[in-house]
Amino acid sequence: MPALDLALRAALDARQPLLGELHAQGTDCYRLFHGSQEGAPGLTLDRYGPQLLVQSFHQPLQREALLGLHSAINERLGLDLHLVYNDRAGGNSRVDRRDAVYQATPEALDDMLGQEWGLNYRVRGRHPGQDPLLFLDLRNARGWIKANSAGQSVLNLFAYTCGVGLCAAAGGAREVVNLDFAEGNLAVGRENGALNPSLPAMQFIQSDYFPAIRQLADLPVASRRGQKLPAYPRLAPRQFDLVFLDPPAWARSAFGTVDLLRDYQSLLKPAILATAEGGTLVCCNNLAKVELADWRDQVLRCAAKLGRPLRDCQVLPPAADFPSHDAKPPLKTLILRL
């Protein structure tokens, strides 16, 4: 039996207890194979409701291997999942079109529904962006938000498709504000809200992070290297009971640079100031080369310098379908009590 088949079988065996728990809690979106830790670096297999999303990041997956993976997963799960394969090994590439097997069927590319923590999410195998519409490794953090947001005002920063905001609304938050630079991301967030009509309405702000969070924190908005500032929404200073900060690894705009390796403090400082006294800030760092202990110390020092020392700091591990044999997963999440 080929090595990939054996690795997939071992991964599915290890997940059996977890899958039972996930299905019982109303979740059908999860990682079935985490190649970097389970025997095939650069390969991931994710279930999104009725869809199986296979992605390769180092080299294209051969036809026979792709079909074999699809068949093995359908047999193990007792399902007939729609296959979508995205090859992201080449520059700017997502799909290898040289063979018809790489081209998903029209049914597989239809808009679908996935569920997590009993909530509905939009699933699209192909869309204008590169990444899936729901980051699965953040499931535990979304679950924590759902369980701890009752009666809270919640600010969801770098909201992407607003899964954290949706969980806050489902958890009984009295107010949910989602902030993201990309209108396309917020459009999916609005769609996710509409897919859960029993939940209260969320708010959406399309803005660059820096002018928005600095206004909320009552700090001046400055341009980078004296550039003329583009237009941005005007916001009044205010604080929130619960703030969620999940920035990308790197991004640049006229207002500043997001750099999780060299300058996390510029993101963290205003987020702390926008968190109410006695409130909670949940912050993430998904850069693999950043050690948890070093980042945690950096976060603690930043809070202390602002005169907002932490009452408590808790590490929230990623979901169990994202194993890490060295106990150093790329995604690191801290729950900070201010």
Side-chain angles (χ1 to χ4, degrees):
M1 181 175 292
L4 181 55
D5 293 342
L6 288 172
L8 177 62
R9 176 177 294 188
L12 295 176
D13 287 345
R15 279 167 175 73
Q16 282 307 112
L18 173 65
L19 296 187
E21 294 175 11
L22 294 177
H23 296 160
Q25 73 187 24
T27 295
D28 61 11
C29 296
Y30 40 75
R31 177 148 293 182
L32 290 161
F33 186 70
H34 191 52
S36 65
Q37 299 292 308
E38 297 184 291
L43 179 65
T44 61
L45 281 68
D46 297 320
R47 180 188 177 188
Y48 283 94
Q51 179 189 94
L52 175 65
L53 177 63
V54 179
Q55 298 193 95
S56 53
F57 295 84
H58 294 171
Q59 59 186 12
L61 195 61
Q62 296 301 310
R63 180 182 191 276
E64 293 75 14
L66 175 64
L67 295 179
L69 293 173
H70 185 209
S71 176
I73 287 175
N74 277 340
E75 181 179 355
R76 176 64 71 94
L77 298 183
L79 298 171
D80 186 15
L81 299 178
H82 298 286
L83 174 64
V84 175
Y85 169 54
N86 289 342
D87 169 35
R88 298 171 61 175
N92 231 4
S93 73
R94 295 202 316 141
V95 187
D96 187 337
R97 303 185 184 280
R98 292 172 296 177
D99 190 311
V101 73
Y102 296 123
Q103 301 178 18
T105 63
E107 295 81 6
L109 297 180
D110 283 345
D111 283 359
M112 300 179 188
L113 284 182
Q115 287 198 319
E116 184 189 84
W117 298 108
L119 300 172
N120 295 322
Y121 288 89
R122 173 58 66 213
V123 172
R124 290 189 177 97
R126 302 268 165 77
H127 59 92
Q130 289 268 2
D131 294 315
L133 297 180
L134 187 68
F135 289 116
L136 300 179
D137 57 348
L138 206 63
R139 182 174 63 249
N140 282 358
R142 287 188 290 267
W144 189 94
I145 293 293
K146 187 171 183 283
N148 291 275
S149 55
Q152 306 283 294
S153 58
V154 179
L155 175 62
N156 181 22
L157 300 166
F158 298 99
Y160 192 45
T161 56
C162 307
V164 165
L166 195 69
C167 282
R174 60 181 171 83
E175 179 186 16
V176 178
V177 178
N178 297 292
L179 187 144
D180 198 272
F181 177 74
E183 174 55 35
N185 292 342
L186 296 179
V188 178
R190 293 186 179 92
E191 194 172 350
N192 285 334
L195 292 172
N196 297 273
S198 65
L199 299 184
M202 300 183 289
Q203 300 174 47
F204 303 88
I205 299 175
Q206 181 189 1
S207 174
D208 185 285
Y209 174 76
F210 289 106
I213 193 63
R214 292 186 70 83
Q215 288 179 91
L216 292 172
D218 202 15
L219 296 171
V221 177
S223 62
R224 183 168 57 87
R225 296 198 184 99
Q227 294 181 6
K228 183 179 179 181
L229 292 176
Y232 57 88
R234 303 295 168 154
L235 304 173
R238 63 163 300 187
Q239 293 182 318
F240 292 79
D241 302 318
L242 177 55
V243 175
F244 194 92
L245 175 64
D246 182 23
W250 192 90
R252 174 178 287 177
S253 76
F255 298 97
T257 300
V258 174
D259 187 342
L260 301 196
L261 179 63
R262 298 173 185 84
D263 192 16
Y264 198 91
Q265 296 95 319
S266 67
L267 308 173
L268 184 64
K269 175 182 175 180
I272 290 175
L273 295 176
T275 306
E277 192 72 35
T280 302
L281 170 61
V282 181
C283 56
C284 303
N285 189 318
N286 59 27
L287 204 61
K289 63 179 65 176
V290 173
E291 295 283 346
L292 173 60
D294 294 339
W295 176 57
R296 181 180 181 275
D297 289 345
Q298 184 183 75
V299 168
L300 295 177
R301 288 196 305 270
C302 183
K305 286 181 180 179
L306 288 173
R308 300 290 303 274
L310 303 180
R311 295 181 292 117
D312 185 54
C313 178
Q314 174 187 349
V315 177
L316 183 66
D321 44 334
F322 286 78
S324 175
H325 296 315
D326 62 1
K328 296 180 179 180
L331 176 63
K332 296 160 284 289
T333 303
L334 295 176
I335 300 171
L336 312 177
R337 310 281 190 177
L338 297 170

